[in-house]
Amino acid sequence: MGLFWKRKTGDQFVSLKLNEPLPEASGVKRAEQTPEKTAANEAEAGSPVIVPGEQASASDSSAPAAAAPMLEPLATGAGPTPFPAVTPAANTPAVESRPQASAREPEVIRTEVRQPKPVAPVPSRSPFATSVLGLNLSMEELQAQEAALEQEFSARFRRAVSATRETLSERLDTVFQGLKQIDENLLDELEEALIAADIGVATTQQILETVRRGVARKQINDLDALKTAIKEDLLKILRQSEKQGVASETSVPENVSPYVMMIVGVNGVGKTTTIGKLAQRIKAEGNDVLICAADTFRAAASDQLAIWAERTGVPLIQQKQGTDPAAVLFDSLKASKARGSDVLIVDTAGRLHNKSNLMAELEKMKRVAAREVEGAPHETLLVLDAVTGQNGLEQARQFLKVAGVTGIVLTKLDGTAKGGIAVAIANELGLPIRYAGIGEKVDDLVVFDPELYVNGLFE
């Protein structure tokens, strides 16, 4: 399963060096080492060195030092002694800052930055929303915890595609009862089941061709072999799509910051909800996230994002309705770099009735992003509603022409029997499914796992 956001690797963990061998392993006893040798060894390890008899001060290294006092641990369990309060010197003059007068100040457009109100932490119903070190647990306990999370994630994914499984797998079980061999009648039933699951005509014909070859070679002669062949073909299609677009955020070097994600899609597919869930999931793993409300065409878009920003505790950059979206993005990029944000999530206009304007708008935003951050936008995610089925596939084709989509977010996968649309998208568009919505809670937006998805269709 791993982390939801895997871009950070080496700087996420602190090495305590508890398992490093002592100097006895090199044949030199620690008690016999001189201060000079100890300092040299510790300097090679990259840790700070304090030699007894020397003063640990950067300002005066030649001053004599007193012997280090013996520190005794407190037996009462009391907390550490607080530091004394620092007061300014009595004769230190107070400096009063005065604003400089200006003859004429130019009129500027002020960008509103909504900082989230402090709210009390609400316990999540799932352990996916937080990330802990687990230093108080043994290795066996950590492995057991990870296995439990894997099982829960797999179970939730199977439940999400249960309606599609009833359409596909259980229908095959019913048709195959009483048959001793696979014939054309069974293949016709299989074709109907695949199309009903919205896998698509082209993908269905490809799968049937594979099954017919297996039957002719006597490699497929029962229901289990038939299901195995279909699963292998579906998994191959999904894996093949990962070779195009952007299959992982780790493809961008860690020194490039912020990681810019543009979210596109028509209104009503769950775009705003997806942005809120993405922000929450990425933030929960210790990343600084910023949201850019660049959909200035629809008045309610910024208000909905503001609700999600306040709920998740993520800052939001927005301007008044009708402002140039590229200007909002420019301000957001400046704010992201100033605060050292790791991820910037950009909302865009969700309209297709005027594709020429939409294309010009997105192209301008991409130019602004690339000028401010190397390689930005690093991902352009298209949000599709799984319930719409083949209509969603047509939306994907249109956005692919004007937006340069690099990946798909498939929402409401748990609410439809047409979950096979994921395979149709991967096969016909050659785009990876990056994330899937399998519920209404914040942690119900998950990284799409092709193997779990395919297994969930037939188990």
Side-chain angles (χ1 to χ4, degrees), residues 190-212:
L190 173 60
E191 181 177 6
E192 292 181 10
L194 292 174
I195 293 177
D198 248 342
I199 288 181
V201 176
T203 309
T204 297
Q205 295 301 324
Q206 178 179 332
I207 293 174
L208 289 175
E209 184 63 26
T210 301
V211 172
R212 286 192 175 94

Side-chain angles (χ1 to χ4, degrees), residues 26-50:
S26 60
V28 181
K29 294 183 179 179
R30 189 175 185 85
E32 298 176 355
Q33 286 185 331
T34 63
E36 292 76 14
K37 292 182 179 180
T38 305
N41 293 336
E42 292 183 355
E44 291 178 358
S47 59
V49 180
I50 300 178

Side-chain angles (χ1 to χ4, degrees), residues 252-424:
V252 177
E254 293 183 16
N255 60 346
V256 177
S257 181
Y259 187 95
V260 182
M261 305 171 67
M262 289 184 64
I263 313 298
V264 300
V266 299
N267 299 327
V269 296
K271 185 158 58 78
T272 304
T273 303
T274 298
I275 292 173
K277 290 181 178 181
L278 276 172
Q280 171 63 22
R281 293 301 307 274
I282 297 174
K283 178 192 173 184
E285 293 179 350
N287 301 280
D288 188 275
V289 184
L290 197 65
I291 299 177
C292 168
D295 184 2
T296 58
F297 178 79
R298 188 168 61 99
S302 294
D303 296 335
Q304 292 173 358
L305 274 180
I307 295 174
W308 270 104
E310 183 175 344
R311 183 184 304 174
T312 59
V314 175
L316 172 68
I317 306 293
Q318 61 179 162
Q319 291 185 8
K320 62 182 180 180
Q321 183 181 359
T323 306
D324 184 5
V328 187
L329 176 58
F330 177 80
D331 292 338
S332 301
L333 290 166
K334 290 293 186 182
S336 295
K337 291 192 288 187
R339 62 183 285 133
S341 297
D342 300 301
V343 182
L344 175 63
I345 304 177
V346 184
D347 185 22
T348 62
R351 60 189 190 276
L352 274 175
H353 63 272
N354 194 335
K355 289 181 286 187
S356 60
N357 288 348
L358 176 63
M359 181 168 61
E361 180 179 292
L362 291 175
E363 286 296 330
K364 184 177 180 181
M365 294 176 67
K366 287 182 178 181
R367 289 196 303 270
V368 170
R371 188 169 64 242
E372 295 298 322
V373 179
E374 178 186 354
H378 306 104
E379 280 194 75
T380 301
L381 297 176
L382 172 62
V383 181
L384 293 178
D385 186 344
V387 178
T388 60
Q390 292 297 315
N391 290 334
L393 186 59
E394 181 59 30
Q395 291 175 16
R397 292 191 186 98
Q398 296 296 328
F399 270 101
L400 193 61
K401 296 177 182 178
V402 301
V405 178
T406 62
I408 303 294
V409 180
L410 197 59
T411 63
K412 307 175 188 176
L413 189 61
D414 60 317
T416 178
K418 299 180 179 181
I421 189 64
V423 182

